[in-house]
Amino acid sequence: MNVRIEVTYKTPKRTETIFSSDEMQAGKAILIAEDLEKTGRAKSLTFIDSYDHTWTLKELKEYMKGIQTEPHNVTVYFDGGFDRETKRSGLGCAIYYEQNGKAFRLRKNALVEQLDTNNESEYAALHLGLKELELLGVHHLPVKFIGDSQVVINQLKEEWACFDEELSKWADRVESKLKKLGIDPDYRLVSRKDNQEADQLASQALKEIEITSTSET
């Protein structure tokens, strides 16, 4: 979870002002807040999340302690490939997350035959990642989704209109799953070079090489 800090700062001569920070990870915000408290000049500290909910330092610490046993700090890389000759699609996703003080990487791919375009394959790869998040038990958290498909990323960010009926159906499936899991998506568009792991998983699926693995990083 990302939050911003609002602090009422008091000078030795009792002049007061309010400062607001940029958004940052909650763990980092707690460390900064604790350091501010040591100065003795922070009259009050409030944390505000992306939903504009407010937290006290005690509440935020308790929340962070509670999620340590669940997957958090989640990032999903996804990619889909479509073979025009065989009419088959390769889907790949790599999921990075933390749990119980350790970092993990989950790799998953799939070969499917019911899709008709590369853009559908890209959407299906993202949906595959969402299904894996559901199996992991990820819920009510912000999650980064990183892909190299301008169509998928820009349509889901509502920067591009979606006129294709099939792609609209895929967008609806993605948004329905996000709503069900309570996930707040942060979509990031990257170059294919920066999405090599998911791309390789999709290519391996097209070669009928099945990958399902979780490892500590």
Side-chain angles (χ1 to χ4, degrees), residues 14-158:
R14 300 184 179 278
T15 301
E16 293 185 4
T17 189
I18 297 176
F19 292 102
S20 180
S21 74
D22 293 331
E23 279 198 355
M24 65 188 81
Q25 289 188 352
K28 179 179 179 181
I30 289 172
L31 292 175
I32 292 173
E34 288 177 334
D35 194 62
L36 283 169
E37 283 192 331
K38 291 177 183 177
T39 67
R41 295 181 181 177
K43 183 177 179 181
S44 65
L45 285 164
T46 303
F47 303 88
I48 304 171
D49 64 24
S50 55
Y51 297 101
D52 287 330
H53 296 153
T54 59
W55 304 69
T56 65
L57 180 57
K58 181 180 179 181
E59 289 170 340
L60 194 59
K61 282 183 174 180
E62 289 177 350
Y63 169 80
M64 292 299 292
K65 183 179 180 180
I67 69 169
Q68 290 306 308
T69 58
E70 299 180 1
H72 56 281
N73 289 343
V74 183
T75 299
V76 178
Y77 291 84
F78 69 94
D79 196 26
F82 180 69
D83 189 321
R84 290 187 177 88
E85 293 183 4
T86 64
K87 302 297 182 182
R88 299 195 301 180
S89 298
L91 318 178
C93 65
I95 301 174
Y96 290 81
Y97 63 97
E98 296 176 16
Q99 188 173 14
N100 293 320
K102 297 179 180 180
F104 296 92
R105 178 186 66 171
L106 183 155
R107 299 167 70 233
K108 175 72 175 180
N109 68 0
L111 179 64
V112 296
E113 299 184 357
Q114 67 269 36
L115 307 179
D116 296 317
T117 66
N118 189 71
N119 286 332
E120 285 183 68
S121 300
E122 294 279 6
Y123 265 110
L126 172 53
H127 195 260
L128 174 67
L130 284 170
K131 290 191 289 186
E132 291 300 312
L133 292 183
E134 186 172 24
L135 292 173
L136 277 173
V138 175
H139 62 91
H140 297 93
L141 290 174
V143 174
K144 291 180 184 176
F145 294 93
I146 299 177
D148 56 41
S149 169
Q150 289 189 2
V151 171
V152 171
I153 297 296
N154 288 329
Q155 286 181 349
L156 290 175
K157 290 173 71 174
E158 299 184 350

